[in-house]
Amino acid sequence: MIEQSLPNKKKVHRAWAMYDWANSAYNLVITSTIFPIYYISITRNEATADKVSFFGLEVVNSSLLNYALAFAYLVIAILSPILSSMADSRGNKKRYMQFFTLTGSIACMALYFFTGQRIELGILLSVVAAIGYCGSLVFYNAYLPEIAIKEEQDQLSAKGFAYGYIGCVLLQLICLVFVFKYKDWFGQTEDWGPRISFFLVGLWWIGWSIIPFTVLPKPAVPVINSTKAKSVVRGSFSALRKVSKQVQTMPKLKVYLAAFFFYSMGVQTVMLAAAVFGSKEVKKLVDGEWVNMGAQDLIPAILLIQLVAILGAMLMAKLSAKIGNFKVLMLNVFIWVVICCLAYYTRTNYEFYGIATLVGVVMGGIQSLSRSTYAKLIPKDTMDNTSYFSFYDVMEKLSIVLGMFSFAFIEQITGNMRNAILALISFFVIGFVLLLLTNKAPLQRRKS
């Protein structure tokens, strides 16, 4: 239920946005920049075609990382409805959000021990960190319609992403000092800089999370009567089935979720695989020779994406107020199609920087608008916001699972990461067509 008379609303809104500030450091450092670049650098081996051993299995290094992320998102897709039901039935949404935050941040700090001789440890900890991050977002997103009225949700959602981009860029800059000055300033070995960065991410995440955990309200009334369920697991999936049945009666929401599923397969895969793609497929000219891009080339490009995304999220929020959410979403998806087509032919670092700028324009906007558009489409009088957002989260996580798995599988069987981009283009095209149909669909199914 939306809190129309929420005391200290501005303070609550700022505290909610601060969780984006806290956890986005994981998203930038661990999933987008330092971790994948560090991982590729310590596993690159031309003699074995970049294959590594993972508990005795020989897998291409980049495919292994993408498979690991797909597995993490599959786990959270299965767990999130169960956890949402538990949180709703007991009215302790905040406690579960705290648990996943602690789990993810500790896993990030433990990555300090990830070295070239501990590939299995690094992969397993990255999976745990991803589960912690994604699990906390289930409950974080569910707060949006509870602390903001419909007219405030676009701006608040964009504010959260903007806080996140600013916060993660600040920590990234701090981490760069350790990555590039590891020897001159600290007298440490080359791999110390990235590993201490992983530790700082966990510390930043748990430290700044104290603000939202202190300020965000605790739901006063449980919205699911747990006594009617024979078990938490059965009750959780029955809640999802209930939401699914309700969605069937709302054509606009139904088609929108299908569109969201397909274009998210593309968006999330691009975001998660960008640094790996750059480090393996893009070259730069050094002393007359073409060599792979390194951390000093890739990290500025990813930072550029984050900085441009701050403006992009705000721009798309204002544009949606003028022409509507669906038209802006279709514009975003169309630009993503163009990005993928350009990426397929990208060979040099300067071309990669151009693509990064374009990605930044639409990355924040499509994430922010997708979340707020869904919040607007769910029933206004629902008392079950967490289950609705759990359903949304499951859809998103399953799209990531399929997107990352298909990307990794196509690279594994063809030996060329560029071939996987063709699949991403098809995902965006399908998403665009479904958004076009969503814009024309009625809100409610007509009664016969």
Side-chain angles (χ1 to χ4, degrees):
M1 182 175 65
I2 297 174
E3 297 290 344
Q4 300 277 4
S5 57
L6 190 70
N8 300 318
K9 179 178 284 190
K10 289 184 178 180
K11 181 180 179 181
V12 172
H13 286 184
R14 284 195 299 270
W16 182 84
M18 281 302 297
Y19 189 71
D20 248 320
W21 172 288
N23 70 17
S24 291
Y26 160 83
N27 219 13
L28 178 59
V29 177
I30 304 298
T31 66
S32 301
T33 56
I34 297 179
F35 179 81
I37 296 170
Y38 171 73
Y39 169 79
I40 292 297
S41 69
I42 65 174
T43 57
R44 181 176 280 124
N45 189 337
E46 294 184 4
T48 62
D50 288 342
K51 289 186 178 180
V52 296
S53 176
F54 184 72
F55 293 112
L57 297 175
E58 296 293 322
V59 189
V60 174
N61 56 359
S62 51
S63 292
L64 174 61
L65 183 59
N66 290 333
Y67 282 137
L69 286 172
F71 174 76
Y73 284 108
L74 178 61
V75 170
I76 200 62
I78 296 171
L79 287 181
S80 60
I82 301 173
L83 296 167
S84 297
S85 179
M86 292 172 66
D88 275 344
S89 64
R90 300 173 187 177
N92 56 1
K93 184 189 290 109
K94 187 189 294 188
R95 184 175 299 174
Y96 283 93
M97 187 173 161
Q98 291 171 329
F99 169 78
F100 278 99
T101 296
L102 186 62
T103 300
S105 60
I106 290 176
C108 289
M109 288 188 279
L111 280 171
Y112 175 81
F113 301 101
F114 174 36
T115 64
Q117 291 72 45
R118 298 170 177 168
I119 299 299
E120 290 88 354
L121 175 67
I123 291 295
L124 292 176
L125 285 174
S126 70
V127 168
V128 174
I131 291 173
Y133 172 75
C134 297
S136 67
L137 289 183
V138 173
F139 308 103
Y140 171 67
N141 287 334
Y143 264 109
L144 181 60
E146 294 186 7
I147 63 174
I149 59 176
K150 183 177 180 180
E151 290 74 18
E152 298 171 332
Q153 289 168 9
D154 280 347
Q155 288 298 327
L156 181 55
S157 182
K159 183 177 183 178
F161 278 105
Y163 272 44
Y165 291 130
I166 295 172
C168 67
V169 168
L170 285 177
L171 182 62
Q172 177 80 88
L173 292 175
I174 295 172
C175 291
L176 291 183
V177 174
F178 294 96
V179 171
F180 295 127
K181 297 295 182 179
Y182 63 90
K183 187 174 182 179
D184 297 339
W185 290 11
F186 307 103
Q188 297 289 336
T189 57
E190 185 175 358
D191 68 346
W192 180 81
R195 293 190 293 115
I196 198 66
S197 297
F198 306 151
F199 181 85
L200 290 177
V201 168
L203 196 62
W204 177 281
W205 186 359
I206 191 65
W208 285 108
S209 294
I210 293 174
I211 295 175
F213 291 150
T214 301
V215 177
L216 285 176
K218 181 179 179 181
V221 181
V223 295
I224 295 178
N225 184 357
S226 59
T227 61
K228 294 182 180 180
K230 293 182 179 180
S231 69
V232 171
V233 174
R234 185 176 301 177
S236 64
F237 286 103
S238 67
L240 276 189
R241 285 195 297 271
K242 180 181 177 181
V243 171
S244 179
K245 289 181 180 179
Q246 291 173 347
V247 168
Q248 300 303 315
T249 66
M250 296 176 279
K252 186 177 286 291
L253 180 57
K254 178 182 177 181
V255 182
Y256 170 73
L257 281 172
F260 170 75
F261 180 82
F262 277 100
Y263 71 67
S264 285
M265 289 173 69
V267 171
Q268 299 295 337
T269 302
V270 170
M271 291 169 59
L272 292 170
V276 174
F277 175 81
S279 63
K280 293 189 69 174
E281 297 292 333
V282 182
K283 309 287 185 180
K284 69 172 183 175
L285 191 62
V286 178
D287 297 330
E289 294 185 8
W290 289 100
V291 299
N292 291 96
M293 292 178 69
Q296 70 275 16
D297 309 297
L298 289 165
I299 291 177
I302 304 299
L303 281 176
L304 177 65
I305 292 176
Q306 307 302 314
L307 293 172
V308 175
I310 298 171
L311 300 176
M314 295 300 183
L315 174 65
M316 295 304 170
K318 291 184 178 180
L319 191 59
S320 67
K322 293 184 178 181
I323 66 175
N325 286 35
F326 289 110
K327 290 182 180 179
V328 177
L329 282 172
M330 284 188 284
L331 173 63
N332 274 261
V333 173
F334 176 77
I335 295 175
W336 276 106
V337 173
V338 174
I339 288 172
C340 288
C341 291
L342 293 175
Y344 184 83
Y345 295 101
T346 296
R347 293 292 189 277
T348 70
N349 55 328
Y350 294 110
E351 293 171 345
F352 188 78
Y353 295 148
I355 295 281
T357 303
L358 197 53
V359 168
V361 173
V362 292
M363 184 177 73
I366 199 166
Q367 288 182 294
S368 174
L369 276 180
S370 295
R371 180 169 62 184
S372 60
T373 299
Y374 181 74
K376 288 180 178 181
L377 291 177
I378 64 177
K380 298 179 182 179
D381 57 348
T382 183
M383 296 284 289
D384 198 4
N385 282 312
T386 304
S387 289
Y388 266 94
F389 271 92
S390 176
F391 189 82
Y392 174 85
D393 193 69
V394 169
M395 292 283 290
E396 182 180 40
K397 298 304 176 290
L398 289 177
S399 73
I400 296 174
V401 171
L402 291 178
M404 294 299 292
F405 181 83
S406 62
F407 197 84
F409 184 71
I410 292 172
E411 182 193 7
Q412 182 77 17
I413 63 174
T414 66
N416 191 336
M417 191 182 292
R418 294 181 186 278
N419 293 330
I421 295 177
L422 300 176
L424 301 184
I425 295 173
S426 67
F427 300 154
F428 283 120
V429 171
I430 295 172
F432 181 88
V433 173
L434 289 171
L435 277 176
L436 188 64
L437 296 176
T438 303
N439 199 31
K440 299 178 181 180
L443 281 173
Q444 297 287 339
R445 178 181 295 173
R446 293 181 181 180
K447 295 181 179 180
S448 57

